[in-house]
Amino acid sequence: VESPRRIATKQIGRIPSGSASAVCAAKKSESETWLGVAERGGLGSVFSVSLVAGVPQFTRRLSSLAISDCKMIEVGSEVLLLGKTTEGTLAYTLTKGSMATATLVSRVPRNVFSSGNAPLPDGRIYFAGLGGTETQIYDPSTRSFVVGPALLTGRSSPLVQSLTNGDVLVLGGHDSKARPIAAPEIFVWRQSLNQAVPTTNPAPLERVGAAAARFFDGRVWIAGGTTNPQTQIFGAQESSSRAPGF
């Protein structure tokens, strides 16, 4: 990993909405991305975004979804759109091969907007960090949610990262009193166990809102969060903590 360096940024476009309260995105294809915009006042829209001569072009494909928050997740050939409404959180599917027509498929049992999610090897999506110890698993074959194995430590806003063996790393977040926590644990996906187990790899560091990236060798680089500037490497055989810029 290279040392941090200054990166120049520039504005390349403007979302065609003046009152966005939340934005989410999912890739439809190599040349097109869908952008979901939840607006204050409850009118949500989905835009197609593609680069034309280096300039992003927005095309409104879907409107009149009354959502005030959104989350988009790629699930096989579909995109799962979770939208917060006055009736609770609803799940819609957008089929990648067609126009972005939203199909209502189920009601989400819990508020997933403070959670993290990760794909499982069988195509399902695992959600953790719903505010307590409960987890949810979305099954695209039935387009429904089921309760998953309970976490060892209740939390919101955790880091949730899939591992090469199919398991899922869950760490950080905050408790019901908004206090940062560490408490890393592993969701063991294999059917013989299918449960959460504690881990001390990486070493417990309190983090809220951290991000992660998985290397080709299976190790996971963990960085950021509002409470800890250190980066960490998670791996099956090693764990290290270093200051930024290693």
Side-chain angles (χ1 to χ4, degrees), residues 4-162:
R5 54 186 178 181
R6 191 176 301 276
I7 299 174
T9 61
K10 65 177 181 178
Q11 179 178 318
I12 58 173
R14 184 182 296 275
I15 296 173
S17 170
S19 59
S21 61
V23 177
C24 55
K27 185 174 68 174
K28 178 186 177 186
S29 66
E30 292 301 323
S31 59
E32 184 179 357
T33 294
W34 279 342
L35 190 71
V37 179
E39 302 179 13
R40 299 182 185 91
L43 179 63
S45 306
V46 175
F47 299 92
S48 169
V49 184
S50 58
L51 287 177
V52 178
V55 179
Q57 301 292 323
F58 295 88
T59 304
R60 183 182 292 267
R61 293 289 184 88
L62 178 70
S63 60
S64 71
L65 279 179
I67 55 176
S68 59
D69 205 342
C70 66
K71 185 187 288 278
M72 271 187 178
I73 305 166
E74 295 178 60
V75 185
S77 61
E78 295 181 335
V79 170
L80 178 68
L81 187 153
L82 306 177
K84 184 184 293 185
T85 75
T86 56
E87 300 178 3
T89 303
L90 303 179
Y92 302 85
T93 58
L94 306 172
T95 303
K96 286 188 177 183
S98 66
M99 298 289 283
T101 301
T103 302
L104 178 63
V105 293
S106 66
R107 183 181 299 274
V108 183
R110 293 287 298 273
N111 180 6
V112 298
F113 299 102
S114 65
S115 70
N117 62 83
L120 298 175
D122 59 6
R124 297 180 300 162
I125 305 296
Y126 171 81
F127 291 85
L130 300 163
T133 59
E134 180 183 327
T135 66
Q136 290 283 335
I137 298 178
Y138 175 75
D139 187 342
S141 66
T142 61
R143 290 180 168 178
S144 62
F145 289 81
V146 297
V147 176
L151 293 174
L152 302 175
T153 303
R155 65 188 82 206
S156 298
S157 303
L159 169 69
V160 180
Q161 173 66 46
S162 58

Side-chain angles (χ1 to χ4, degrees), residues 154-228:
R155 65 188 82 206
S156 298
S157 303
L159 169 69
V160 180
Q161 173 66 46
S162 58
L163 306 176
T164 53
N165 65 356
D167 295 345
V168 179
L169 173 67
V170 180
L171 64 84
H174 60 78
D175 63 15
S176 60
K177 296 183 179 180
R179 295 174 299 196
I181 58 176
E185 54 188 284
I186 300 288
F187 168 64
V188 180
W189 171 78
R190 294 178 293 280
Q191 297 300 322
S192 58
L193 293 175
N194 200 35
Q195 62 185 359
V197 298
T199 179
T200 56
N201 175 7
L205 289 177
E206 296 175 350
R207 296 181 183 274
V208 179
R214 195 174 70 194
F215 296 127
F216 289 111
D217 62 5
R219 294 180 300 158
V220 176
W221 183 50
I222 302 166
T226 58
T227 57
N228 202 306

